Amino acid sequence: KHVSQLPSFAKLTKLKSVSIENLSSLADLSPIAEAPALQKLAIWNMPHLETDDFRCFVNHPKLKRINLTLVTGPRQSPKEAQIKEFLPIVRSFGED
């Protein structure tokens, strides 16, 4: 919960999936984007993240899907809709 930064994932050449949740101190997602084989990312309950925090995933060579729910509850965060505009691989949890 108190993780504020991550190391580079660049050397994790076989890492295909990452799931993070409730990391309220983490804002920089770019170390995850450095994982060369990353195909799937799940982010849950991290409402402090901003739209621009996801720009590091644009043009990722292998990333196929991001499951995203910034806030838990029945309504989608407006930020999620903005992220989907520039990252069409983003899906809300439960959305196919």
Side-chain angles (χ1 to χ4, degrees):
K1 191 172 189 174
H2 302 289
V3 175
S4 60
Q5 67 184 74
L6 297 170
S8 172
F9 285 28
K11 292 183 180 182
L12 303 175
T13 59
K14 295 185 181 187
L15 182 69
K16 293 183 179 182
S17 180
V18 172
S19 179
I20 58 174
E21 64 181 281
N22 298 320
L23 296 180
S24 57
S25 298
L26 181 66
D28 184 8
L29 301 176
S30 64
I32 299 170
E34 295 173 1
L38 185 66
Q39 294 179 11
K40 186 176 178 184
L41 174 63
I43 297 178
W44 177 266
N45 198 27
M46 295 179 60
H48 64 284
L49 292 176
E50 297 297 331
T51 303
D52 285 342
D53 295 329
F54 291 85
R55 294 209 182 268
C56 58
F57 298 106
V58 172
N59 297 322
H60 188 283
K62 302 279 185 173
L63 191 58
K64 296 178 182 174
R65 184 173 183 134
I66 299 174
N67 289 333
L68 178 64
T69 297
L70 293 177
V71 293
T72 55
R75 304 193 85 171
Q76 182 184 64
S77 164
K79 288 189 259 185
E80 289 177 40
Q82 293 170 350
I83 294 164
K84 287 179 183 182
E85 287 181 18
F86 65 86
L87 267 174
I89 60 172
V90 170
R91 300 288 180 268
S92 297
F93 278 94
E95 180 181 81
D96 284 327

